Amino acid sequence: MFSSIPKADAVFLKWILHAWGDKESIKILRKCREAIPKENGRVIIVDAVIDEFGNNEDRFKDVKLMIDMVMMAQTTTGKERTLKEWDYVIKEAGFSRYTVKSIHAMQSVIMVFP
């Protein structure tokens, strides 16, 4: 599983980490951190961010929860994550900061910085 990632200025992960549990996602992100420059590297994650507070303004809320159930049924450890769960995975992988941008889709763009 992701034994190495080629050196790059940025690593783009779209719908990858939701198929893995926290332990495996942390390992993947650590490999990404090794592949990018410390000064200006980026890891760009496009994945769902579940609203743990039940925000009624999220028109994709039901779809995100349905995808979470699909991940539970089709993988042993995969899941959709809340912002708090993303924070844990990103920080445990050794990254210092990140930003989350909602887009007009069920996914969000999570920009991770070394």
Side-chain angles (χ1 to χ4, degrees):
M1 168 194 66
F2 295 92
S3 58
S4 70
I5 296 175
K7 298 286 182 195
D9 291 332
V11 176
F12 185 78
L13 301 171
K14 182 178 179 184
W15 281 59
I16 302 294
L17 298 178
H18 76 147
W20 300 94
D22 290 348
K23 182 179 171 184
E24 296 86 4
S25 293
I26 291 166
K27 285 181 183 179
I28 293 167
L29 286 172
R30 284 181 179 157
K31 291 289 183 186
C32 292
R33 192 182 50 151
E34 292 170 8
I36 62 172
K38 288 186 169 107
E39 312 79 48
N40 59 355
R42 305 280 187 273
V43 176
I44 304 159
I45 303 167
V46 178
D47 227 318
V49 177
I50 302 294
D51 180 15
E52 62 188 314
F53 301 110
N55 181 359
N56 290 328
E57 293 179 22
D58 183 359
R59 64 183 197 194
F60 297 105
K61 177 179 72 170
D62 294 336
V63 176
K64 291 176 183 178
L65 294 174
M66 184 214 44
I67 295 295
D68 190 29
M69 289 188 282
V70 169
M71 295 312 299
M72 287 189 291
Q74 293 186 352
T75 69
T76 55
T77 60
K79 63 181 178 175
E80 303 301 339
R81 291 179 172 85
T82 65
L83 186 57
K84 186 176 180 181
E85 291 170 321
W86 278 114
D87 182 75
Y88 170 76
V89 168
I90 291 167
K91 298 275 174 77
E92 284 295 310
F95 289 96
S96 59
R97 61 190 177 96
Y98 62 93
T99 60
V100 177
K101 174 141 177 80
S102 294
I103 57 176
H104 297 288
M106 85 168 239
Q107 303 94 343
S108 294
V109 177
I110 307 168
M111 186 81 67
V112 183
F113 308 93

